[in-house]
Amino acid sequence: MASTDIDTTPLPRWWHSRVVQRFFGHRLALLGLVMITLLTLACGIGPYLLPYDSLHIDLLARFAPPLTGGHYLGTDPLGRDVAARLLMAGRISLLVGFFAMLLATVLGTLIGVVAGYGGRTVNAVLMRLVDGFLSFPTIFLLLALAVALKPSPIMITVIIALTGWMEVARIVEAEVRSLKEREFVLAGRMLGLGRAHIMFREILPNCMGPIIVAATLTVARAILLEAYISFLGFGIQPPLPSWGNMLNGAQQYLGSAPWLAVVPGAAITVAVTSFNFIGDGLRDALDVRNDSF
Amino acid sequence: MAAFLFSRLLQSAALLVIVSIIGFTVLNLMPGGPLSQYALDPGMTQADIARISEQLGLNRPLYVQYLDWAWGLLSGDWGTSFRDGSPVIQVIARHVPATLLLMGSSTVIAVAVGTWIGIRGATHRYSGFDYVATVGAMIALSIPTFWFGLIGIYVFSLRLDWLPAGNMYTIGDGSVLNYLHHLIMPSVVLALVHIAIWSRFMRGATLDAISQDFVKTARAKGLSERRVVMKHVVGNALLPMITLAGVQVPSLLTGALVTETVFTWPGMGRLFLDSLGYSDYPVVMGLLMFSALLTIVANLVADITVALVDPRIRLA
């Protein structure tokens, strides 16, 4: 063995990795990423740039159509600027979606890992719990919980996560179960590593691909669910705007002020589509088996 | 077959127990718990509530209360509605047909359109049609159902005046045609998401079947491509379709609730929402448990049907 042969080629940069290359080769995923970035930026800094404040009520300018009087997207029944409200609502909706995803992913991963690595009984109990939660139509459970636990933005986030962790749990459980007899796990066990160490330090890192994909799709789902329950009046409560509750009263003005319905719904669709596109791109890039969609 | 039936029934029973535990937890989270009925009544003093809870046995251990409640569910005693005092089970039964009609018609639309798109997408893989169908499905899954409904009302009711904006029939006109006229828009709106799901599913199933040996054999026999696809490929995709139909029930119910709200359709979904508004918790709980029951039964029926039709499962 020639000990002088040292590999001097530089380590590949992260943006040269196959995953990143494949993700950026996925046109729809790229489009989704651009749209979400723009939307987030708009919601983040947009409200400071618009001429009107989202809470400014102007009863003389009620139902102003879009592009009149400096109201780019018109005004609502109280004369508030729809554009300003849309962007403020976007902050709430995107934050709720993001944190609900985070919570659901952590919860689903924990339960999935324990169920996958645990014995028959633990697995059976936890996976039947997953089935049990999946037996309820999401919106029924969500609305019942929203009424039971007073709806604040944090509570809404928590209950969306409570009804959205099952997919992740199923994916992680299947992944862990297929990994737990592999050599590196047996080696870890032989070394005398603790159960927790094997589950979370040895096995879990190998499941990251599917978890990342599921998490991305969970953001999309969470944004949709927040919109559903807020539209129905049981989610985020006014005066705090969210894309869902902006649509809450829109139906009665459909004939006279259709922009009140069109604008927030379009924002929801764009955000959710973007996350679904990104999820699809990540699935291709990370080589995750195509099972749910 | 008997063994399969038995084990499948046992699974459903176990699931029912878990579902009831989740439901009981939700019930106890409700403001005032099972006594929420009185929590809103200004004529009730704290002492009254304590007395009633003694009478109803609410000071017993939780597991005794749970068993009592679960027994009520099983024996058909689902409590009485706060709003009109009639038994919850009757209130629900009145609203079930409208929802089943909506779910049924939109499933027919979704299966017909979705299957066609899926098969065409698979047989013309990577064509323009396939690409549009794929992207379209992803967008369809991202559109909030209620928003799609609002846009539909704006275009087809308010602008074009082709379709009614809501309700199940015009008062005074009970003809079938009138019902159908009112059914079109809600069922198409509810179907959109499921068209996407069915088309993706069908595309995958068709692609799976196309690569199988028996399809090669069929082609080698000189059968026309149309016959190969319709008989050999679609025939084999039919079985998983039955399972998927069962799995779709909760998502159909979710969609139905939203659709019924937008189109003032007098079904279970609207009843649920109205009951929430009136804090009619017995009806809320009844509907929550009923919807889960419907899901479990639908999955059970789907699995048994598949087992009856598919000889491979009977042997296993």
Side-chain angles (χ1 to χ4, degrees):
Chain A
M1 190 164 75
S3 58
T4 49
D5 281 358
I6 294 167
D7 188 2
T8 52
T9 49
L11 281 171
R13 303 284 186 170
W14 64 267
W15 60 84
H16 290 154
S17 86
R18 222 172 94 242
V19 170
V20 176
Q21 299 270 315
R22 266 167 49 187
F23 180 79
F24 284 107
H26 195 290
R27 272 179 296 172
L28 287 178
L30 213 54
L31 179 69
L33 196 63
V34 170
M35 287 199 296
I36 275 304
T37 311
L38 289 179
L39 206 58
T40 311
L41 280 178
C43 294
I45 55 180
Y48 303 114
L49 306 176
L50 287 170
Y52 295 97
D53 184 80
S54 69
L55 293 173
H56 176 72
I57 294 175
D58 181 0
L59 292 175
L60 294 175
R62 302 171 70 214
F63 299 114
L67 298 174
T68 53
H71 298 289
Y72 300 111
L73 297 173
T75 62
D76 71 359
L78 293 174
R80 291 174 297 191
D81 186 53
V82 171
R85 277 175 53 78
L86 185 79
L87 298 181
M88 291 306 280
R91 291 183 179 182
I92 304 283
S93 293
L94 290 174
L95 281 176
V96 168
F98 181 78
F99 281 103
M101 171 280 285
L102 219 55
L103 221 64
T105 308
V106 170
L107 189 64
T109 303
L110 265 177
I111 292 180
V113 169
V114 173
Y117 195 72
R120 278 183 60 133
T121 325
V122 175
N123 181 281
V125 170
L126 288 177
M127 293 324 282
R128 288 303 80 73
L129 191 67
V130 169
D131 291 343
F133 270 91
L134 284 173
S135 299
F136 291 100
T138 320
I139 200 92
F140 283 68
L141 195 57
L142 209 50
L143 287 171
L145 284 170
V147 169
L149 314 160
K150 289 300 154 205
S152 65
I154 292 176
M155 207 37 112
I156 297 295
T157 311
V158 171
I159 62 174
I160 289 176
L162 272 180
T163 56
W165 55 274
M166 295 83 76
E167 298 290 326
V168 179
R170 273 194 169 172
I171 291 165
V172 173
E173 188 259 355
E175 207 59 31
V176 170
R177 212 152 30 89
S178 76
L179 287 173
K180 79 179 196 186
E181 299 301 332
R182 292 271 283 272
E183 283 86 351
F184 72 93
V185 178
L186 298 180
R189 239 184 266 165
M190 253 179 5
L191 285 171
L193 299 178
R195 286 172 70 86
H197 185 99
I198 293 179
M199 283 194 282
F200 294 103
R201 300 295 295 274
E202 304 293 331
I203 297 182
L204 188 59
N206 287 288
C207 312
M208 281 329 271
I211 294 178
I212 291 170
V213 174
T216 315
L217 300 177
T218 304
V219 182
R221 242 177 74 89
I223 293 175
L224 261 185
L225 286 175
E226 183 276 318
Y228 276 28
I229 57 170
S230 297
F231 165 71
L232 297 170
F234 294 91
I236 304 287
Q237 299 298 317
L240 207 59
S242 86
W243 286 335
N245 76 21
M246 285 180 75
L247 282 158
N248 181 257
Q251 190 167 4
Q252 55 181 313
Y253 304 115
L254 208 51
S256 53
W259 61 89
L260 291 179
V262 173
V263 170
I268 298 169
T269 306
V270 167
V272 176
T273 311
S274 302
F275 279 111
N276 279 334
F277 282 170
I278 296 172
D280 195 50
L282 284 171
R283 179 157 39 211
D284 283 357
L286 294 167
D287 241 342
V288 175
R289 200 164 30 87
N290 198 343
D291 46 8
S292 62
F293 178 69
Chain B
M1 188 66 200
F4 168 80
L5 255 178
F6 182 72
S7 81
R8 193 61 191 75
L9 277 173
L10 212 63
Q11 274 175 33
S12 295
L15 197 51
L16 216 54
V17 172
I18 291 175
V19 160
S20 70
I21 293 175
I22 298 173
F24 186 69
T25 311
V26 174
L27 174 68
N28 279 280
L29 286 174
M30 294 272 177
L35 281 187
S36 48
Q37 178 173 14
Y38 307 110
L40 301 171
D41 186 340
M44 281 280 173
T45 64
Q46 211 53 41
D48 290 331
I49 291 186
R51 190 168 41 80
I52 295 170
S53 89
E54 170 90 36
Q55 272 174 2
L56 294 177
L58 292 175
N59 46 8
R60 294 172 302 169
L62 263 184
Y63 73 93
V64 179
Q65 290 185 44
Y66 165 73
L67 290 176
D68 207 43
W69 177 79
W71 176 246
L73 279 184
L74 275 181
S75 58
D77 173 18
W78 293 27
T80 50
S81 161
F82 293 169
R83 252 201 295 176
D84 58 4
S86 49
V88 168
I89 214 157
Q90 282 179 20
V91 179
I92 293 177
R94 275 205 300 273
H95 290 78
V96 167
T99 298
L100 289 186
L101 177 67
L102 183 62
M103 281 168 62
S105 59
S106 96
T107 302
V108 170
I109 298 173
V111 171
V113 180
T115 309
W116 178 76
I117 294 177
I119 295 172
R120 208 186 134 84
T123 50
H124 299 74
R125 205 176 170 186
Y126 303 133
S127 65
F129 178 89
D130 189 29
Y131 190 73
V132 170
T134 304
V135 178
M138 248 190 288
I139 295 174
L141 285 172
S142 309
I143 297 178
T145 306
F146 60 86
W147 186 61
F148 189 53
L150 292 179
I151 301 293
I153 291 176
Y154 180 71
V155 175
F156 293 103
S157 305
L158 298 177
R159 283 282 159 267
L160 299 172
D161 201 17
W162 287 352
L163 296 166
N167 294 326
M168 202 167 158
Y169 55 90
T170 314
I171 293 173
D173 182 1
S175 66
V176 175
L177 219 60
N178 188 263
Y179 272 89
L180 278 179
H181 196 207
H182 283 80
L183 184 60
I184 296 173
M185 204 156 40
S187 46
V188 170
V189 165
L190 178 54
L192 179 75
V193 168
H194 297 96
I195 291 175
I197 295 173
W198 280 102
S199 72
R200 300 317 296 155
F201 174 81
M202 211 46 212
R203 182 180 183 271
T206 311
L207 283 177
D208 274 353
I210 280 180
S211 59
Q212 302 267 328
D213 286 339
F214 61 79
V215 172
K216 281 188 200 126
T217 311
R219 283 197 183 127
K221 280 194 301 189
L223 294 183
S224 70
E225 188 63 25
R226 193 181 168 77
R227 231 182 119 84
V228 171
V229 169
M230 292 320 283
K231 256 195 98 165
H232 294 78
V233 173
V234 177
N236 275 280
L238 279 176
L239 282 174
M241 274 172 78
I242 300 173
T243 312
L244 183 66
V247 174
Q248 290 303 307
V249 168
S251 114
L252 265 173
L253 280 166
T254 287
L257 185 141
V258 179
T259 313
E260 286 173 9
T261 308
V262 172
F263 290 99
T264 52
W265 190 263
M268 282 164 49
R270 256 189 76 82
L271 174 67
F272 187 79
L273 214 63
D274 286 349
S275 306
L276 279 178
Y278 283 101
S279 304
D280 193 350
Y281 298 120
V283 177
V284 168
M285 281 313 298
L287 281 167
L288 189 64
M289 297 314 294
F290 182 74
S291 61
L293 190 71
L294 208 61
T295 308
I296 294 173
V297 170
N299 282 315
L300 182 66
V301 170
D303 283 1
I304 292 175
T305 315
V306 170
L308 284 175
V309 182
D310 189 348
R312 285 169 299 187
I313 292 183
R314 238 173 297 160
L315 293 171

